[in-house]
Amino acid sequence: MDPDIDKIPEFLKQYPDPIFEFNKRIIDATKDLCVAYKPNSAFYEAYGVKGLQSLIATGKYIPKDCLSIIDAKRGDIGNTSDKYACAFLTKVLQE
């Protein structure tokens, strides 16, 4: 689960936590088909504290009978590396 606020449908952006709302809808639509969910921490860290709150809410929402895997590796491919850079260079250092 690699949410990008720029790619989330506009109607979801009116919710207090559009990232969680997006993830919730994905989980609801797929929970009878999936054995695991794998949120990528970079895509949450890039949004600072609010992103981490979305990640926590998502983790709590994942059904207990599904595996939950956090993808928190460093030194990844382009778009993930960009999100890590955003998280630490623009969010962490400014907050």
Side-chain angles (χ1 to χ4, degrees), residues 6 8-10 18 21 26-27 37 41 46 56 59-60 63 83-84:
D6 295 329
I8 289 177
E10 287 299 318
E21 190 63 35
I26 290 171
I27 293 167
Y37 292 92
S41 65
I56 291 166
K60 289 179 178 179
K83 294 295 183 187
Y84 285 126

Side-chain angles (χ1 to χ4, degrees), residues 34-71:
C34 290
V35 296
Y37 292 92
K38 183 180 69 84
N40 186 322
S41 65
F43 287 82
Y44 299 87
E45 293 173 29
Y47 301 109
V49 172
K50 288 183 179 185
L52 293 174
Q53 290 169 337
S54 298
L55 177 59
I56 291 166
T58 298
K60 289 179 178 179
Y61 194 76
I62 292 172
K64 301 299 178 216
D65 60 342
C66 289
L67 296 172
S68 181
I69 305 162
I70 185 74
D71 183 348

Side-chain angles (χ1 to χ4, degrees), residues 22-23 28 41-42 50 53 72 76 86 92:
F22 180 71
N23 290 346
D28 288 344
S41 65
K50 288 183 179 185
Q53 290 169 337
D76 204 342
C86 177
V92 173

Side-chain angles (χ1 to χ4, degrees), residues 4-23:
D4 183 336
I5 198 74
D6 295 329
K7 295 179 181 176
I8 289 177
E10 287 299 318
F11 78 95
L12 294 177
K13 293 179 183 177
Q14 63 186 311
Y15 287 85
D17 187 345
I19 291 175
F20 171 66
E21 190 63 35
F22 180 71
N23 290 346

